[in-house]
Amino acid sequence: MSTPVNERPHGGVGDRFRLWWNALARPVQWAVGVPFILLLAVLPVLNLPVITTEGTNFGAVMAQFGMYALLAIGLNVVVGQAGLLDLGYVGFYAVGAYTVALLTSPDSPWNQTGPDGWLSTRWAWLAVLPIAVAVTALSGLLLGSPTLRLRGDYLAIVTLGFGEIVRLLADNLGDITGGGRGLSQVAFPRLGTSETDQLGVFSAGNVSGTVNSGTWWYWLSILLIVVILVFVGNLERSRVGRAWVAIREDEDAAEIMGVPTFKFKLWAFTIGASIGGISGALYAGQVQFVTPTNFNVINSVLFLCAVVLGGQGNKLGVILGAFIIVYLPNFFLGRTELFGIAIDGNAISNYKYLFFGVALMILMIFRPQGLIPARQKLLTYGRQLYVAARRRPTEGLSDHVTEGAR
Amino acid sequence: MSTLLALGADYLSAPAINFNIEALGANFWQLTIEGLAYGAVYALVAVGYTLVYGVLRLINFAHSEIFMLGMFGQYAALMMLGFSPAGNAYSEGALLTIVYLILALVVGMLISGGAAVGLERIAYRPLRKRNAPSLVFLITAIGASFVLQEFVHFVLPKLTGDELGGVNAQQPIRLVEQKEQFTIFGASVTNVTLIIVISALVLALATDLFVNRTKFGRGIRAVAQDPTTATLMGVSRERVIMLTFLIGGMLAGAAALLYTLRVPNGIIYSGGFILGIKAFCAAVLGGIGNLRGALIGGLLLGVMENYGQILFGTAWRDVVAFVLLILVLMFRPTGILGETLGRARA
């Protein structure tokens, strides 16, 4: 997992880009980043014929991408940052989705919307979102505190068991969760109501045109992604992040150096879990329906694919991974030709697990660090020294000292 | 809020989950015997996990798919022998049935063993050459698991003209009619249970003898204990690794035949997944890397699962298995017998 830091100091396009990006001042980074994010945000509206998905609604696909991106960011905290292999991440996704559904679906005995509940229909989803995050964080804490004393492979299998237990609970406690029938009519934000969209722009009924409910959910998830990226990024550069890297690289050494490893592992687990919970809440709101089959363990594996494919430890990488996982199968769906070549898009889309499997195997042989790998930074000394260290030797260190003094 | 809690208590006491201790007491021996039959299958699959883990420190995630291929292998063999999945069991007489079973067993073992060795060569060997970290191995195993499942899901039906594989489960071929042979403590023991438990025990014993008493077995133990020193002492690590995959695969193939004798679920491309996870649980329960541990863990898991199923309701079977795993790992993190393939008999 550990990539040598200075093996190729300025080699490759990725490194050059990284160097350039890290040398920019923070306001400039924002000035470049915000238009780029806006460009990504308007993709469903532009609906370019090359990029769009023909067989299914592009907005809905992008909404799904948003949720997977959140999941990948959350799982990246656990797997990529702290090096804890979590194969039951779908469990947290399910807990988030079910918390929203249990509190707002009329099928649920704990429904709090409607005449005698304490949630207004209009704001129910937004009000339940923090509750969902809190409940998932708690579930992460509950699972983590007994199991995080286990290492590596044991942890993987125990978390796998947890993911399966959550699904089985949802399936078996039929009186509460509706069992296999699931819970329907889950709350969603009722904003932007109009004559045509009586339930607002987020309603699943809003399917016409390019700015449909999917697009709105995509925008909402972009907003959440940006907020969470800032949060996770700051965490990475803090004491917590350094502790995670230390644990990932060598847990025993970290423990000896005085890092309370258990505490920080629990932190990673809980934070990762709550991000998964947010994604689950988004999912429940968008589809307005939850059922246990959506939370199979195979989904956990898919999320892990997104993280590994993109490049574990790299936030942008895992978002790219999530995009590939969601977009590619949908891209081929319903396509009969690509660049003038006749293809059977539906078949390709059906075989997605086959292709993912082959892709994973090939990737692990030739590029195990993922498409956009993480480079280790000199975390201990902070950003400025990192920039100085990455400069060409001609510029010298004295340059940096004066800059630091400024 | 108090109404909410009261509601919650109400619903938790609803019959979604029950606690039927009388039924457990009344059927205790029957449950134990049936649990042993399930557990024997888990144990055989668990040996495959445990051997590979002992030698390579790798969870061979694709082992469940090796098992699944074994199910299809024995099915194909029986079809070639002229059987078809009819509703009633065939009555061929004891001797012929045993011959047919052994034929199917051999084909299943060959297919699974071959697939396991092939998987090792194609997927894991290139990684070993590159000294990849363990997460990379695990991801590759997951990828291979996808590939094998989807191969049976989509490609196999095309190759065999929809005879094998595909989306739907295939009904197992019933060679043996379940018949009560004798009773112990009032619990009936059927011929199928006998076949499963006895063959599993024989195979497990044979594997144990092989690993503990033969030259090849000593090589396996040496590599598990210390790969570098073993190599210096003239043990071919590559050959040992191949051997462990072969043994594990063959046992999974045997388990596949025994499983299809007993379980009416049918044969399906996704059929190995949950069983594989449980078999891995069994391996971890007994102490992963420990052959006898795998046997004990498998039998224990099968029996406990069966008790739990009656105690809490059928739907809770898998939950019992996973909770048991978490509990054991919390109190004894290296499993019941500890993880010692290398130190079993140095």
Side-chain angles (χ1 to χ4, degrees), chain B residues 231-249:
Chain B
T231 314
L232 289 174
M233 296 296 151
V235 180
S236 163
R237 182 159 180 253
E238 290 300 311
R239 195 178 295 169
V240 162
I241 289 169
M242 224 149 98
L243 193 63
T244 51
F245 272 89
L246 182 69
I247 298 173

Side-chain angles (χ1 to χ4, degrees), chain A residues 23-342:
Chain A
L24 294 180
R26 181 96 346 159
V28 184
Q29 286 185 348
W30 278 104
V32 179
V34 169
F36 179 68
I37 294 168
L38 286 180
L39 179 74
L40 284 182
V42 294
L43 269 184
V45 181
L46 295 176
N47 208 10
L48 302 169
V50 193
I51 303 173
T52 187
T53 51
E54 287 183 358
T56 176
N57 188 304
F58 190 45
V61 172
M62 292 310 273
Q64 201 193 355
F65 154 61
M67 286 162 211
Y68 270 60
L70 272 175
L71 286 166
I73 294 167
L75 188 58
N76 182 43
V77 170
V78 185
V79 179
Q81 301 289 332
L84 306 165
L85 188 54
D86 185 350
L87 288 180
Y89 196 65
V90 72
F92 301 124
Y93 184 55
V95 168
Y98 266 96
T99 310
V100 172
L102 282 172
L103 287 175
T104 64
S105 160
D107 303 345
S108 145
W110 297 339
N111 175 27
Q112 294 304 323
T113 56
D116 32 289
W118 38 269
L119 289 170
S120 81
T121 332
R122 194 177 175 89
W123 296 104
W125 184 84
L126 210 58
V128 169
L129 183 64
I131 303 179
V133 174
V135 171
T136 20
L138 196 68
S139 70
L141 208 63
L142 278 181
L143 172 70
S145 41
T147 55
L148 279 175
R149 300 191 191 278
L150 302 170
R151 294 267 177 104
D153 302 335
Y154 287 108
L155 184 67
I157 210 74
V158 167
T159 48
L160 188 70
F162 166 77
E164 206 35 29
I165 288 176
V166 170
R167 185 185 69 82
L168 288 167
L169 281 180
D171 213 349
N172 292 351
L173 295 172
D175 294 322
I176 304 168
T177 61
R181 280 175 293 118
L183 296 168
S184 57
Q185 298 173 46
V186 178
F188 53 93
R190 303 211 174 172
L191 299 173
T193 44
S194 64
E195 287 292 306
T196 46
D197 295 318
Q198 301 235 327
L199 296 173
V201 288
F202 284 98
S203 145
N206 175 18
V207 284
S208 57
T210 49
V211 190
N212 49 34
S213 66
T215 313
W216 279 95
W217 281 103
Y218 172 52
W219 288 340
L220 181 60
S221 52
I222 285 188
L223 190 71
L224 286 168
I225 288 171
V226 170
V227 172
I228 287 168
L229 275 183
V230 170
F231 170 70
V232 173
N234 282 337
L235 214 54
E236 248 173 54
R237 287 183 291 272
S238 73
R239 183 165 154 260
V240 183
R242 293 194 293 275
W244 285 343
V245 173
I247 293 168
R248 179 184 72 199
E249 296 302 318
D250 190 332
E251 199 173 329
D252 295 316
E255 182 83 60
I256 290 165
M257 290 298 164
V259 178
T261 50
F262 179 69
K263 187 177 121 191
F264 283 114
K265 285 201 292 188
L266 204 56
W267 265 112
F269 221 66
T270 312
I271 290 167
S274 24
I275 297 174
I278 296 177
S279 183
L282 277 173
Y283 172 78
Q286 194 215 346
V287 194
Q288 296 174 34
F289 175 63
V290 289
T291 162
T293 45
N294 298 9
F295 305 105
N296 270 332
V297 169
I298 194 110
N299 288 310
S300 278
V301 176
L302 210 58
F303 305 154
L304 192 68
C305 282
V307 171
V308 174
L309 201 70
Q312 34 173 323
N314 184 324
K315 299 186 292 292
L316 286 182
V318 300
I319 293 176
L320 176 74
F323 182 75
I324 291 173
I325 293 278
V326 174
Y327 177 73
L328 273 190
N330 285 308
F331 173 79
F332 284 109
L333 200 68
R335 263 184 208 260
T336 49
E337 59 99 30
L338 186 64
F339 306 127
I341 305 161

Side-chain angles (χ1 to χ4, degrees), chain B residues 68-324:
Chain B
M68 180 269 294
L69 286 179
M71 294 210 290
F72 278 96
Q74 58 85 22
Y75 185 79
L78 288 178
M79 288 227 306
M80 273 177 214
L81 289 171
F83 294 99
S84 62
N88 294 323
Y90 286 91
S91 48
E92 300 275 341
L95 197 70
L96 260 181
T97 306
I98 287 176
V99 170
Y100 284 133
L101 279 180
I102 288 178
L103 277 177
L105 185 78
V106 168
V107 175
M109 284 169 93
L110 282 181
I111 298 259
S112 284
V117 171
L119 173 78
E120 196 277 320
R121 293 212 74 148
I122 294 168
Y124 300 140
R125 181 169 292 188
L127 299 181
R128 267 206 313 284
K129 292 219 169 104
R130 287 173 165 75
N131 256 334
S134 66
L135 183 64
V136 168
F137 275 95
L138 190 69
I139 303 282
T140 304
I142 290 171
S145 168
F146 276 172
V147 170
L148 290 177
Q149 272 195 29
E150 295 303 291
F151 172 78
V152 175
H153 188 176
F154 290 116
V155 184
L156 196 61
K158 291 202 172 141
L159 294 179
T160 57
D162 286 329
E163 291 282 321
L164 283 174
V167 188
N168 297 320
Q170 272 143 347
Q171 286 314 303
I173 295 169
R174 293 174 62 207
L175 273 187
V176 190
E177 178 93 64
Q178 284 218 46
K179 258 191 224 130
E180 183 182 302
Q181 299 296 309
F182 53 87
T183 56
I184 312 177
F185 303 117
S188 76
V189 179
T190 65
N191 46 2
V192 172
T193 312
L194 273 181
I195 293 175
I196 294 175
V197 175
I198 290 175
S199 358
L201 283 180
V202 166
L203 284 168
L205 200 70
T207 315
D208 193 62
L209 282 177
F210 181 81
V211 171
N212 282 327
R213 296 290 161 97
T214 64
K215 197 180 105 187
F216 299 108
R218 199 181 301 138
I220 293 178
R221 280 180 289 131
V223 172
Q225 201 168 358
D226 187 340
T228 322
T229 315
T231 314
L232 289 174
M233 296 296 151
V235 180
S236 163
R237 182 159 180 253
E238 290 300 311
R239 195 178 295 169
V240 162
I241 289 169
M242 224 149 98
L243 193 63
T244 51
F245 272 89
L246 182 69
I247 298 173
M250 280 167 64
L251 289 179
L257 176 72
L258 301 180
Y259 185 69
T260 42
L261 280 181
R262 179 71 179 72
V263 182
N265 279 353
I267 302 159
I268 188 166
Y269 70 98
S270 57
F273 187 69
I274 285 289
L275 186 127
I277 295 176
K278 283 205 212 153
F280 184 78
C281 288
V284 173
L285 269 183
I288 191 156
N290 187 323
L291 273 185
R292 289 168 197 177
L295 187 64
I296 290 178
L299 294 178
L300 188 75
L301 189 73
V303 172
M304 295 307 270
E305 217 182 60
N306 237 7
Y307 294 159
Q309 172 176 333
I310 289 299
L311 204 55
F312 303 116
T314 326
W316 297 92
R317 190 184 169 91
D318 294 354
V319 180
V320 171
F322 294 127
V323 170
L324 181 72

